[in-house]
Amino acid sequence: MDRAAILLSLRLAAWTTLLLLMLGLPLSWWLATSRWRWKFLVEAVVSLPLVLPPTVLGFYLLLALGPRGPLGGAFESLFGSTLPFSFGGLLVASVLYSLPFSVQPFTAALAGVDRRLLEASWCLGVSRFQTFLRVVLPLSATGILSGMVLTFAHTLGEFGVVLMVGGNLEGRTRTASISIYDAVQALDYASAGRTALVLLVFSFLVLALTYGLQRRVWASWPTRS
Amino acid sequence: MDRAAILLSLRLAAWTTLLLLMLGLPLSWWLATSRWRWKFLVEAVVSLPLVLPPTVLGFYLLLALGPRGPLGGAFESLFGSTLPFSFGGLLVASVLYSLPFSVQPFTAALAGVDRRLLEASWCLGVSRFQTFLRVVLPLSATGILSGMVLTFAHTLGEFGVVLMVGGNLEGRTRTASISIYDAVQALDYASAGRTALVLLVFSFLVLALTYGLQRRVWASWPTRS
Amino acid sequence: RVGLRENGTVASSTPSAGAEQQRTLTIAAASDLKFALDEVLVRFRAKHPGADIQVTYGSSGNFLAQIGNGAPFDVFLSADVAYPRELAAQGLVAGEVFLYAVGRIVVWVPRDSPLSVEQRGMEALREPAARRIAIANPQHAPYGRAAEAALKSQGVYDTVKEKLVLGENIAQTAQFVQSGAADAGIIALALALAPAMREQGHAWVVPLDAYPRMEQGGAILKRAKDEALAREFRDHLLGPEGTAVLDRYGFSLPKE
Amino acid sequence: MADTLVVDLEKRFHGGPTVRATLELPATPGRVAVLFGPSGAGKTTVLRCLAGLDQPEHGRVLFHGEPWCDTSARIFLPPQRRRVGLLFQDYALFPHLTAEQNVQYGLGALPADERRERSRSLFALLHLEGLEGRRPRELSGGQQQRVALARALAIRPRLLLLDEPLSALDAPSREHLRGELRRLLRELGVPTVVVTHDRLEALALGDDLVAMEGGRVCQVGPVADVFNHPAELAVARMTGIETVLPGTVLKREAGLATVEVGPHHLVALEPAHEGSAVFVCLRAEDVTLGLPEAAPTSARNRLPCKVVSLAHEGALVRVGLDAGFPLVARVTRFSTEELGLAEGRALTATFKAPAVRLVPRP
Amino acid sequence: MADTLVVDLEKRFHGGPTVRATLELPATPGRVAVLFGPSGAGKTTVLRCLAGLDQPEHGRVLFHGEPWCDTSARIFLPPQRRRVGLLFQDYALFPHLTAEQNVQYGLGALPADERRERSRSLFALLHLEGLEGRRPRELSGGQQQRVALARALAIRPRLLLLDEPLSALDAPSREHLRGELRRLLRELGVPTVVVTHDRLEALALGDDLVAMEGGRVCQVGPVADVFNHPAELAVARMTGIETVLPGTVLKREAGLATVEVGPHHLVALEPAHEGSAVFVCLRAEDVTLGLPEAAPTSARNRLPCKVVSLAHEGALVRVGLDAGFPLVARVTRFSTEELGLAEGRALTATFKAPAVRLVPRP
Ligand SMILES: Nc1ncnc2c1ncn2[C@@H]1O[C@H](COP(=O)(O)OP(=O)(O)OP(=O)(O)O)[C@@H](O)[C@H]1O
Ligand SMILES: Nc1ncnc2c1ncn2[C@@H]1O[C@H](COP(=O)(O)OP(=O)(O)OP(=O)(O)O)[C@@H](O)[C@H]1O
Ligand SMILES: [Mg+2]
Ligand SMILES: [Mg+2]
């Protein structure tokens, strides 16, 4: 069992989920409310990262983020270091790859909020941003939670992109999924099984806790009209 | 560019999406409506396949479905052949792995349908099943579509599970994503790029068409209350 | 249970009804053989124009697991002779496990690299310009184990340990360097000779005595549908035509 | 047993009140029962239990002798099999369907042209022509309400449950539709339970009246009976009796009772119930005003009083009086002018003994 | 300019009607304007444009001289900056918040105890005590409506817009709350626009009245003026004038007009407008019934007629008559008994000249 790797995975998954919450919600809100006629093209593009095999996506990312790539070069001249083979690089890759897992459920959830409630809030003098926080978010909690769970779980399990961009550095970019994969490749099934079990049990606990605690008080299945 | 692989991928993605629609909707409906107190455990379990690296999940699936595995043995004695290394095996693996991508958005969408509308339908003498088809489905279309898109796109791109269970047999289990992966492994970037491009363009068209055609008539952002 | 598998026709999905007449051969081969084996097969296919010969490249570890679970491969060419031996121990191998090549490694840098590997060999890896050095994962990749051993025997391991990034396999290791994300890499000679790499960088061939012999072995599997054709393929690979190609692609021959 | 609706149920709301309803109503074709009572009385809850949408904790519902729900026998007929037409208080129209599709929604079993014919005639009846293709959110509040009513009527239910069916309509449309509805119900022969807050509607539409308050049924009976003989204070209030005064029965003789109220003794018909503590209830329109010097009439009760307030209510004027206790009279605008009513004016209020209703005071 | 609300707008609905509203109302503290009109008239649309939720295609809204919307100057003040208190016709309560949280929702800027105090006093005013912790779906329809009203009042708006604020309430609560509301509005000094379908409510609550029909403003003016002098047929109908007959003005002299209606000649006050084609409008309560042999009165119009129908309406009885043309009278129950009214009874209907309203007939 690889403790450092498990901790790293959790850290990566938590950060990815957080970042995608911050980036994905505005994007989803735009997708849910905009009446721009070409919006559907953006919706299609958001899902495209999924279509490529992760390692291949990772390879293209590596080219883009590496010192010779367009982004990597700019990043290096700004910060003096490159993204690949660092936690930052993993994070960028995970966020990009998991984008659809957040944005799709978020958009569906946000689009389901009754517009009249927003109007009611505006009339009460509450700003659009505050309305988003106090009305839209609570009312789309189920869908947002589902997006976060997908993102979190998927980042834990993702390994193609992460391996490609991260370089499998022990304690820094070797996530639990890479560690398990390595063990399986090395025919060390016992060790793989142990790490996998810990990861599964832990994830199960996190997910069960999330769903269990999720305050169903405003859930959509009330006793009465 | 590997035409056979692209066709296989599309076939697999289409079947997986279809099967998950048929399996996922009842499960999601149960998750959305049940008041069973341990339901949250089931919700947590549904997301677990995501947590393992795909190849490792594929490895465990191979063990389970192979002739020496518990399921595979039973299957073989029933049908005379085993699932791994066949299209059926790919399908089973994809369905299992993509389960959360369907069930999560489906559940969130179904849970958002106003219960009073179901009650209104029941009072009009319409059965629960018909009510599901005529009221629940249309009203959760956005969320269901988002689940289907995630499933479809993800099945196109998935390669770890498929590689492990399918064995990368040309014309039978070599999907486009494996083909691209192989080309990249062989440093044949031009060929990988071509196949990837075709896959991306095609997926983009499918997605854009889906979103563009999606009749927004009952969408959640009406002009008026 | 092993017997069950032999009459279990996994390939029941084989399409054509005239398949009985058609001779088939499915080879599972280690990824590093990609370029060499493709060329070997050109000649072999010419000899058997009617036969349907397919090859799947991949990780030898995966093949081991898949063959153990009924994968429809006839011949297994592993990157590590230990894997076919493991299959033999499970009773899945027809005849003997054979050695077909010995893998070799090189230190590879892109053409514009400031590192002077061609002159200084592994010592060049100590230079500060070598910020990241890619090797395959020694935990499971034979080339990774060889690279690690070579680094140790050349006395640079402790210096470069912190700079190592690990590829899942040798191809990915090469990509790390190719993309510029790593400054140097230790990869298979076979890969360095591949058209896509040859023009792009310099390589320094690590002496064979710097690391343990990487014996690549193979086996014909008991479940082979056409064992005769499989044997013919083995003989072709081990024969003069096959060995010449392997040699050209940077594989030493086992008997040397 | 046959043509009745028997309800005897108890529904508890977690963290809320308990609604208990025991009533038996004639449910013959075309008969209309009105559920009447203040906000929060439990009217919607009773309708939902009748429709099978809420399941009572205890009790039973029998329609025409058929058990729809019986907790002791564990019988519960699902809403689909009850075939009730329920108009929801908040309409619950299907947002993804047009008005016409909403109305035809429950008619799946009929041939297409009969479906069309039914919805067409309902659209005409409810003045909804031209709105067939609109979705609910493109309709005004009153239009939505009428579409929901059409939807409930379309299925030709065995029992019709209407929760404030005309509340969002203007007075002329409401009066007109009330008549149309009444005719249609007779024609279709559906027994109906209707919730309304409008006394005129209760009088105009209802045969029977169920008065509820605070989760409890107070009185059940023919509309006129309940309006004329409220069994308790709450019913008196909801049927619009403005003057309610605590009094004491001093003596009963010859069918008449003398009641002491404040400084006065009033004469009323002898009440059916025992006990001397009563509420004296007086409908404002039963009080006649005259000048103090006017000649006596046959009315048994005659009180000097003073005008305290005047409020115009369309054709009538509501006059607040002080007669040693507060008293309300409602007179026509003619009389107001004739008597020269103004605040402070001294008058005589007269009312007949039968107009004085005595309700037991606990 | 200062204390007025000026509206002049046009709002088109794609696939629906166009709503045009031109009106100018005094908007002094505590003054109440009533928006009156049949279902689908455009009342909600006007309120939404005032609140800034709908944007008119053309036109402007000026409140106290401040432009809230002016399409020609491309001015559009967002709802947040208008500070109007809008009660939605369908409440639009926040389902995830309790009743109390709903009411306090717009009070974020106030200190916590002032927030609590405001919501406490509104809960008391609207008889909602004990429901603070309930979520909207655990409230009855009328309770929800009152919570929504409290929410709109809580923010002490500059302009209050109420879309049928008391429609879901029973008559006694409605009457009571109407008084309370009226007092509170005076106290807070908020000008108010209220949509109602209830004539009594319009009379009791309103200072001004805006009559709308078919997406158009028909008449604007003080309530009594509009009720007494409807400018057109539609207004006459909505203000409850039952008898409307086509007639021809035969002559005008000494401030009086003689109008031919069917077989009779009626006397009316001379109308302001030209032309001889008119509608003769007669309010049912202005018609007095007497026995044919009764002594003549000062009333100028006197028609023999027969009773056709009788309908009880609480304190009054609505009598349908045939006088060569249909005529409706509304009399007290006393009179009904006195005159022994029954179908077929021959009577004399009298009404004064000022009671006959003449409206131009196009
Ligand atoms: N789900 C619930 N949880 C708690 N209390 C509830 C719930 N539903 C209704 N109640 C309460 O039960 C009582 C009766 O509600 P009901 O809806 O039957 O009233 P109603 O007579 O229809 O009133 P209205 O005329 O205002 O619609 C009310 O006091 C209401 O607050
Ligand atoms: N989004 C829309 N699309 C098309 N027509 C609409 C839309 N919204 C409203 N209308 C129409 O505009 C007219 C005015 O609607 P509005 O809601 O203002 O009526 P209202 O006077 O409030 O009626 P009610 O008393 O029934 O609530 C109605 O005929 C309605 O059908
Ligand atoms: Mg109700
Ligand atoms: Mg309206």
Side-chain angles (χ1 to χ4, degrees):
Chain A
M1 198 197 91
D2 191 339
R3 261 193 74 206
I6 290 181
L7 290 178
L8 181 69
S9 274
L10 294 177
R11 196 151 66 96
L12 182 65
W15 273 105
T16 306
T17 311
L18 191 74
L19 274 183
L20 276 175
L21 200 62
M22 284 158 49
L23 299 175
L25 276 177
L27 176 57
S28 302
W29 184 235
W30 179 79
L31 285 174
T33 57
S34 157
R35 294 158 176 282
W36 191 45
R37 61 187 297 198
W38 302 114
K39 187 179 77 176
F40 70 99
L41 297 181
V42 181
E43 292 188 274
V45 165
V46 165
S47 300
L48 278 189
L50 284 184
V51 170
L52 288 182
T55 6
V56 175
L57 185 73
F59 174 66
Y60 290 134
L61 271 180
L62 191 64
L63 289 183
L65 298 179
R68 287 185 235 159
L71 299 175
F75 188 88
E76 190 171 14
S77 58
L78 275 174
F79 298 97
S81 71
T82 56
L83 277 173
F85 312 128
S86 70
F87 184 75
L90 288 195
L91 196 54
V92 169
S94 291
V95 163
L96 256 178
Y97 189 49
S98 289
L99 192 67
F101 298 125
S102 295
V103 169
Q104 285 268 9
F106 287 179
T107 307
L110 296 177
V113 175
D114 191 341
R115 190 179 160 84
R116 280 167 315 162
L117 299 178
L118 308 196
E119 296 181 338
S121 172
W122 300 339
C123 280
L124 291 165
V126 175
S127 69
R128 280 170 184 259
F129 180 66
Q130 283 284 331
T131 301
F132 185 77
L133 292 185
R134 293 172 63 191
V135 176
V136 178
L137 278 193
L139 288 176
S140 45
T142 321
I144 289 177
L145 191 74
S146 116
M148 287 172 64
V149 164
L150 282 182
T151 305
F152 186 85
H154 182 261
T155 307
L156 281 187
E158 216 304 289
F159 107 111
V161 176
V162 161
L163 184 67
M164 206 67 199
V165 176
N168 197 352
L169 299 177
E170 191 177 343
R172 278 183 288 162
T173 61
R174 178 179 302 161
T175 61
S177 55
I178 296 183
S179 165
I180 299 172
Y181 174 78
D182 283 348
V184 168
Q185 288 294 304
L187 312 187
D188 184 358
Y189 300 140
S191 159
R194 274 196 306 276
T195 312
L197 194 69
V198 170
L199 196 64
L200 280 176
V201 167
F202 183 85
S203 311
F204 177 79
L205 290 180
V206 169
L207 294 176
L209 208 75
T210 312
Y211 286 117
L213 282 187
Q214 182 192 9
R215 290 275 302 271
R216 293 265 167 176
V217 276
W218 61 67
S220 320
W221 291 94
T223 337
R224 264 285 300 268
S225 53
Chain B
M1 197 197 91
D2 190 340
R3 263 192 72 207
I6 290 182
L7 289 179
L8 181 69
S9 272
L10 294 177
R11 197 152 63 97
L12 181 65
W15 272 104
T16 305
T17 311
L18 191 75
L19 274 182
L20 275 176
L21 199 63
M22 282 158 49
L23 298 175
L25 276 177
L27 175 58
S28 301
W29 184 236
W30 178 79
L31 285 175
T33 56
S34 156
R35 295 158 177 282
W36 190 44
R37 61 187 297 197
W38 302 114
K39 188 178 76 174
F40 70 99
L41 297 181
V42 181
E43 292 188 273
V45 165
V46 165
S47 300
L48 277 190
L50 284 184
V51 170
L52 288 183
T55 4
V56 175
L57 185 74
F59 172 69
Y60 288 132
L61 271 180
L62 188 63
L63 291 186
L65 298 178
R68 290 185 232 162
L71 299 174
F75 188 89
E76 187 170 15
S77 56
L78 275 173
F79 299 97
S81 72
T82 55
L83 276 172
F85 314 114
S86 68
F87 184 75
L90 288 195
L91 195 54
V92 169
S94 290
V95 163
L96 256 177
Y97 188 49
S98 289
L99 191 68
F101 297 124
S102 295
V103 169
Q104 286 268 9
F106 288 0
T107 306
L110 296 177
V113 176
D114 190 342
R115 191 180 159 85
R116 280 166 316 161
L117 299 178
L118 309 195
E119 295 181 340
S121 172
W122 300 339
C123 280
L124 292 165
V126 175
S127 71
R128 279 170 183 259
F129 180 67
Q130 284 284 332
T131 300
F132 185 78
L133 293 185
R134 294 172 62 191
V135 175
V136 178
L137 279 193
L139 288 176
S140 45
T142 321
I144 289 177
L145 190 75
S146 116
M148 287 173 64
V149 164
L150 282 183
T151 305
F152 185 85
H154 182 259
T155 306
L156 281 186
E158 216 304 289
F159 105 110
V161 176
V162 162
L163 179 68
M164 210 64 200
V165 176
N168 190 2
L169 300 173
E170 192 179 337
R172 279 184 287 159
T173 61
R174 178 177 303 164
T175 60
S177 54
I178 297 183
S179 165
I180 299 173
Y181 174 77
D182 276 354
V184 169
Q185 290 296 296
L187 311 185
D188 185 358
Y189 302 135
S191 158
R194 273 196 307 276
T195 313
L197 196 69
V198 170
L199 197 64
L200 280 176
V201 167
F202 183 85
S203 311
F204 177 79
L205 289 180
V206 168
L207 295 178
L209 209 75
T210 312
Y211 285 117
L213 282 188
Q214 183 192 9
R215 290 275 301 273
R216 293 268 169 171
V217 276
W218 60 69
S220 320
W221 291 93
T223 336
R224 262 286 301 268
S225 52
Chain C
R1 294 205 64 90
V2 174
L4 242 183
R5 191 173 53 257
E6 276 171 314
N7 48 33
T9 45
V10 174
S12 57
S13 56
T14 312
S16 85
E20 278 159 279
Q21 274 75 31
Q22 176 144 34
R23 306 190 73 185
T24 64
L25 181 67
T26 309
I27 305 163
S31 314
D32 63 336
L33 286 173
K34 165 79 181 160
F35 306 102
L37 191 59
D38 276 352
E39 194 171 322
V40 171
L41 285 175
V42 172
R43 306 296 295 274
F44 185 68
R45 281 199 176 101
K47 278 199 226 165
H48 300 274
D52 175 19
I53 297 161
Q54 286 192 4
V55 58
T56 297
Y57 298 100
S59 138
S60 303
N62 282 353
F63 286 138
L64 179 68
Q66 288 174 329
I67 292 166
N69 282 285
F73 296 119
D74 304 326
V75 175
F76 177 31
L77 298 180
S78 168
D80 188 333
V81 72
Y83 293 167
R85 287 200 178 121
E86 165 71 23
L87 287 178
Q90 292 177 27
L92 299 176
V93 167
E96 293 284 298
V97 170
F98 54 87
L99 294 180
Y100 62 87
V102 171
R104 305 205 55 178
I105 55 174
V106 298
V107 180
W108 193 90
V109 294
R111 222 193 346 229
D112 55 6
S113 170
L115 298 177
S116 47
V117 279
E118 275 167 310
Q119 293 80 41
R120 303 185 53 205
M122 282 215 172
E123 286 302 311
L125 299 180
R126 293 185 193 270
E127 293 172 23
R131 289 172 301 178
R132 296 282 184 201
I133 298 159
I135 64 171
N137 191 337
Q139 195 186 344
H140 55 77
Y143 284 100
R145 272 196 295 276
E148 196 179 59
L151 286 171
K152 279 181 177 154
S153 74
Q154 302 284 305
V156 295
Y157 184 74
D158 290 330
T159 335
V160 302
K161 200 168 69 179
E162 290 300 309
K163 305 178 176 181
L164 293 182
V165 298
L166 309 183
E168 178 209 338
N169 53 37
I170 206 65
Q172 199 181 82
T173 311
Q175 284 158 3
F176 282 160
V177 199
Q178 247 189 331
S179 69
D183 306 293
I186 302 179
I187 62 174
L189 173 60
L191 214 55
L193 293 175
M197 300 280 293
R198 196 164 22 203
E199 307 297 319
Q200 289 185 11
H202 314 287
W204 177 72
V205 182
V206 182
L208 269 176
D209 55 9
Y211 50 94
R213 255 168 86 88
M214 268 193 290
E215 292 187 321
Q216 308 208 162
I220 294 168
L221 299 169
K222 265 196 183 151
R223 66 170 320 286
K225 291 175 286 296
D226 190 340
E227 211 180 306
L229 187 63
R231 267 197 300 274
E232 276 179 62
F233 168 71
R234 180 194 60 193
D235 295 343
H236 177 82
L237 180 71
L238 299 179
E241 276 177 296
T243 49
V245 175
L246 286 174
D247 188 39
R248 197 142 34 80
Y249 279 91
F251 292 98
S252 309
L253 299 178
K255 299 290 154 349
E256 278 174 31
Chain D
M1 265 310 265
D3 272 7
T4 55
L5 172 64
V6 181
V7 180
D8 178 9
L9 57 81
E10 179 173 327
K11 167 82 196 158
R12 288 195 204 116
F13 287 113
H14 186 79
T18 299
V19 173
R20 282 187 202 81
T22 310
L23 51 96
E24 188 169 337
L25 286 171
T28 49
R31 192 159 179 117
V32 177
V34 171
L35 253 180
F36 207 69
S39 174
K43 305 180 294 295
T44 299
T45 306
V46 169
L47 289 197
R48 287 178 57 89
C49 287
L50 287 179
L53 298 177
D54 275 352
Q55 208 161 344
E57 272 76 37
H58 295 294
R60 61 206 183 100
V61 174
L62 282 179
F63 178 74
H64 288 187
E66 175 188 345
W68 276 4
C69 167
D70 189 340
T71 49
S72 58
R74 290 172 183 277
I75 292 175
F76 186 80
L77 204 68
Q80 285 93 342
R81 310 230 337 255
R82 300 190 182 195
R83 217 151 65 81
V84 300
L86 173 58
L87 169 68
F88 287 76
Q89 194 169 5
D90 49 4
Y91 320 148
L93 291 174
F94 301 118
H96 59 301
L97 301 180
T98 63
E100 190 172 24
Q101 287 166 339
N102 263 284
V103 173
Q104 294 188 6
Y105 180 87
L107 305 181
L110 296 181
D113 48 349
E114 193 169 337
R115 277 209 303 269
R116 262 197 303 278
E117 179 45 36
R118 270 209 204 166
S119 78
R120 209 200 45 70
S121 68
L122 283 167
F123 271 79
L125 181 83
L126 297 171
H127 307 297
L128 288 167
E129 292 106 332
L131 303 178
E132 289 85 354
R134 297 261 194 92
R135 282 174 210 285
R137 62 178 129 256
E138 298 164 346
L139 295 172
S140 80
Q143 289 164 348
Q144 288 179 34
Q145 193 173 42
R146 281 174 284 158
V147 171
L149 179 58
R151 187 178 66 176
L153 289 168
I155 58 164
R156 304 264 162 96
R158 288 198 286 168
L159 172 65
L160 197 56
L161 305 172
L162 306 177
D163 207 342
E164 309 193 21
L166 306 172
S167 64
L169 297 183
D170 55 300
S173 315
R174 181 152 43 186
E175 274 155 34
H176 178 77
L177 282 185
R178 204 187 287 148
E180 300 280 291
L181 192 60
R182 180 85 223 189
R183 216 167 30 74
L184 184 72
L185 295 181
R186 289 243 172 76
E187 212 175 288
L188 300 179
V190 204
T192 304
V193 180
V194 53
V195 172
T196 179
H197 283 314
D198 185 334
R199 284 178 205 138
L200 289 191
E201 200 150 291
L203 287 164
L205 212 53
D207 299 304
D208 302 294
L209 193 139
V210 180
M212 290 191 73
E213 203 213 17
R216 186 176 60 87
V217 173
C218 311
Q219 195 174 355
V220 187
V223 175
D225 282 12
V226 178
F227 266 78
N228 291 327
H229 306 292
E232 50 179 291
L233 192 61
V235 182
R237 285 215 192 277
M238 64 180 104
T239 56
I241 291 180
E242 284 89 350
T243 303
V244 176
L245 302 161
T248 314
V249 177
L250 295 181
K251 69 172 190 253
R252 300 163 180 248
E253 63 182 23
L256 290 184
T258 306
V259 190
E260 181 179 36
V261 183
H264 302 288
H265 286 194
L266 302 180
V267 180
L269 298 186
E270 191 183 356
H273 51 84
E274 298 293 304
S276 65
V278 291
F279 279 114
V280 175
C281 304
L282 200 53
R283 222 176 266 282
E285 52 262 29
D286 289 338
V287 178
T288 312
L289 297 181
L291 298 177
E293 56 275 15
T297 66
S298 71
R300 300 294 295 261
N301 299 296
R302 204 177 151 81
L303 308 174
C305 58
K306 248 198 196 113
V307 176
V308 174
S309 67
L310 286 172
H312 286 264
E313 292 182 344
L316 297 172
V317 177
R318 179 191 155 106
V319 188
L321 300 163
D322 177 6
F325 47 78
L327 188 67
V328 181
R330 200 175 265 125
V331 298
T332 58
R333 283 192 288 174
F334 279 144
S335 317
T336 318
E337 288 160 26
E338 257 174 44
L339 297 171
L341 291 193
E343 284 184 32
R345 186 93 163 90
L347 295 168
T348 304
T350 52
F351 43 92
K352 298 192 283 187
V356 181
R357 285 158 189 111
L358 300 182
V359 167
R361 175 153 61 99
Chain E
M1 265 311 267
D3 271 8
T4 55
L5 172 64
V6 181
V7 180
D8 178 9
L9 57 82
E10 179 174 327
K11 167 82 196 158
R12 289 196 203 114
F13 287 113
H14 186 79
T18 299
V19 174
R20 280 187 202 83
T22 309
L23 51 96
E24 188 169 336
L25 285 171
T28 50
R31 194 164 177 114
V32 177
V34 171
L35 253 181
F36 207 68
S39 175
K43 305 180 294 295
T44 299
T45 307
V46 169
L47 289 198
R48 287 178 57 88
C49 287
L50 287 179
L53 297 177
D54 275 352
Q55 208 161 347
E57 272 76 36
H58 295 293
R60 62 206 182 100
V61 174
L62 282 179
F63 179 74
H64 287 185
E66 176 187 345
W68 276 3
C69 167
D70 189 338
T71 47
S72 59
R74 290 172 184 275
I75 292 174
F76 187 81
L77 204 68
Q80 286 92 341
R81 309 223 346 248
R82 299 190 182 193
R83 216 151 64 80
V84 301
L86 173 58
L87 170 67
F88 287 76
Q89 194 169 4
D90 49 4
Y91 320 150
L93 291 174
F94 301 119
H96 59 301
L97 301 180
T98 63
E100 188 171 24
Q101 288 166 337
N102 263 284
V103 173
Q104 294 188 5
Y105 180 86
L107 306 180
L110 296 181
D113 49 347
E114 193 169 338
R115 278 208 302 269
R116 262 197 304 278
E117 179 45 37
R118 270 208 204 168
S119 78
R120 209 201 46 69
S121 68
L122 282 166
F123 271 79
L125 181 84
L126 297 169
H127 306 297
L128 289 167
E129 292 105 333
L131 303 178
E132 288 84 355
R134 298 259 194 95
R135 280 172 213 285
R137 63 179 128 255
E138 297 164 348
L139 295 173
S140 80
Q143 289 164 348
Q144 288 179 34
Q145 194 173 42
R146 281 174 284 157
V147 172
L149 180 57
R151 187 178 66 175
L153 289 168
I155 57 164
R156 303 264 162 96
R158 289 200 283 169
L159 173 65
L160 197 56
L161 305 172
L162 306 177
D163 206 342
E164 308 193 21
L166 306 171
S167 64
L169 297 183
D170 55 301
S173 315
R174 181 152 43 186
E175 274 155 34
H176 178 77
L177 283 185
R178 205 186 286 148
E180 301 281 292
L181 192 59
R182 180 86 224 190
R183 216 165 32 73
L184 184 71
L185 295 182
R186 291 241 172 78
E187 213 174 287
L188 299 180
V190 204
T192 304
V193 179
V194 53
V195 172
T196 178
H197 284 314
D198 186 334
R199 284 176 205 140
L200 290 189
E201 200 149 291
L203 286 164
L205 211 52
D207 298 304
D208 300 294
L209 193 140
V210 179
M212 291 191 73
E213 203 213 17
R216 187 175 60 87
V217 173
C218 310
Q219 194 172 357
V220 186
V223 174
D225 282 12
V226 178
F227 265 79
N228 291 328
H229 306 291
E232 51 179 290
L233 192 61
V235 182
R237 287 215 190 275
M238 63 181 102
T239 56
I241 290 181
E242 284 89 350
T243 303
V244 176
L245 303 161
T248 314
V249 178
L250 295 182
K251 69 171 188 250
R252 301 162 182 250
E253 63 183 20
L256 291 183
T258 306
V259 190
E260 180 179 39
V261 183
H264 301 287
H265 287 190
L266 303 180
V267 179
L269 297 188
E270 190 183 357
H273 51 85
E274 300 292 303
S276 65
V278 291
F279 279 115
V280 174
C281 303
L282 201 53
R283 222 176 265 283
E285 52 263 28
D286 289 337
V287 177
T288 311
L289 297 181
L291 298 178
E293 58 275 16
T297 65
S298 71
R300 301 294 294 262
N301 298 297
R302 205 179 149 79
L303 308 174
C305 58
K306 248 198 195 116
V307 175
V308 175
S309 68
L310 285 172
H312 286 264
E313 291 183 344
L316 296 172
V317 178
R318 181 191 154 106
V319 188
L321 301 163
D322 178 5
F325 47 78
L327 187 67
V328 182
R330 200 174 267 127
V331 298
T332 57
R333 283 193 288 175
F334 279 142
S335 317
T336 318
E337 287 160 27
E338 255 173 47
L339 296 171
L341 291 194
E343 284 183 31
R345 185 94 163 90
L347 295 169
T348 306
T350 53
F351 44 94
K352 297 192 285 186
V356 181
R357 283 155 190 114
L358 300 182
V359 166
R361 175 153 61 99

